[in-house]
Amino acid sequence: MGMNVDFTLGEKRKEKQWKYQRSMLRTLSINDMKKDVQRRFFAHEGEETVSQLYLQDFCLDMGIDTFLLGAEFARFGYYGESEYKVMQRCPEEINAQIDQTVAQFTAWLNLDEAQANVYKDVATGYIYEWWRQGFDEGKKRYQLKLH
């Protein structure tokens, strides 16, 4: 007896998005992302503490989400919008990722306001970078698929 594959439109769209995300994740080097996290956030740290290990993982999660967000908006870039303009399409998501990252560092490392502001700059650079990488990879994918 064949399975009844009766997708609603929403489920079909979700499945398509999921497939796209999976294919995008294959292009992502978690190792490169780890190195970037090390370089940006932990360049001056000594041996790995529990909080550092937790924060590294947290940064990787944020980076992966951000990469996928960039990839999701890549079609606008493919159709001719500048990277800057496309970024303006998802400011809430991008700012939320920056703020969540800063909040985690602030909580785990007991940062004061001045220190938190330094981390905000670092987190902004990091989130922008991985959004951009997802955006670029997504654009490449559209070019391959549509030509």
Side-chain angles (χ1 to χ4, degrees):
M1 207 172 115
M3 266 178 54
N4 182 14
V5 188
D6 187 17
F7 275 147
T8 67
L9 205 60
E11 282 170 325
K12 246 201 179 91
R13 194 174 293 124
K14 260 201 194 91
E15 197 199 15
K16 205 174 157 188
Q17 188 187 18
W18 186 72
K19 275 190 177 146
Y20 178 66
Q21 288 186 344
R22 281 196 39 197
S23 73
M24 288 310 305
L25 285 174
R26 283 190 207 105
T27 71
L28 173 63
S29 163
I30 297 295
N31 212 28
D32 287 351
M33 190 180 275
K34 254 194 187 131
K35 281 185 197 144
D36 193 41
V37 168
Q38 271 309 119
R39 186 176 62 78
R40 288 176 193 270
F41 292 97
F42 303 104
H44 314 297
E45 300 296 314
E47 88 290 357
E48 290 184 318
T49 58
V50 171
S51 58
Q52 191 180 330
L53 289 169
Y54 171 83
L55 288 166
Q56 275 174 356
D57 278 351
F58 184 86
C59 288
L60 287 175
D61 285 346
M62 284 285 120
I64 291 166
D65 282 353
T66 304
F67 177 86
L68 289 173
L69 182 68
E72 195 186 317
F73 281 83
R75 66 181 183 281
F76 296 109
Y78 174 77
Y79 291 117
E81 278 187 25
S82 72
E83 180 186 283
Y84 176 77
K85 199 167 174 212
V86 178
M87 239 186 193
Q88 307 302 303
R89 288 178 171 274
C90 51
E92 296 86 4
E93 291 96 323
I94 289 173
N95 288 329
Q97 284 161 331
I98 293 166
D99 291 344
Q100 282 170 38
T101 304
V102 176
Q104 289 293 330
F105 276 87
T106 301
W108 278 84
L109 305 179
N110 278 319
L111 306 180
D112 63 30
E113 203 181 332
Q115 292 168 317
N117 283 331
V118 172
Y119 275 95
K120 184 163 181 144
D121 287 343
V122 176
T124 300
Y126 174 69
I127 295 297
Y128 279 17
E129 172 62 23
W130 290 98
W131 185 94
R132 203 172 285 124
Q133 296 226 13
F135 178 76
D136 289 343
E137 282 300 328
K139 236 166 69 170
K140 271 185 219 160
R141 196 167 171 80
Y142 274 96
Q143 280 153 357
L144 291 174
K145 218 156 88 179
L146 303 173
H147 283 297

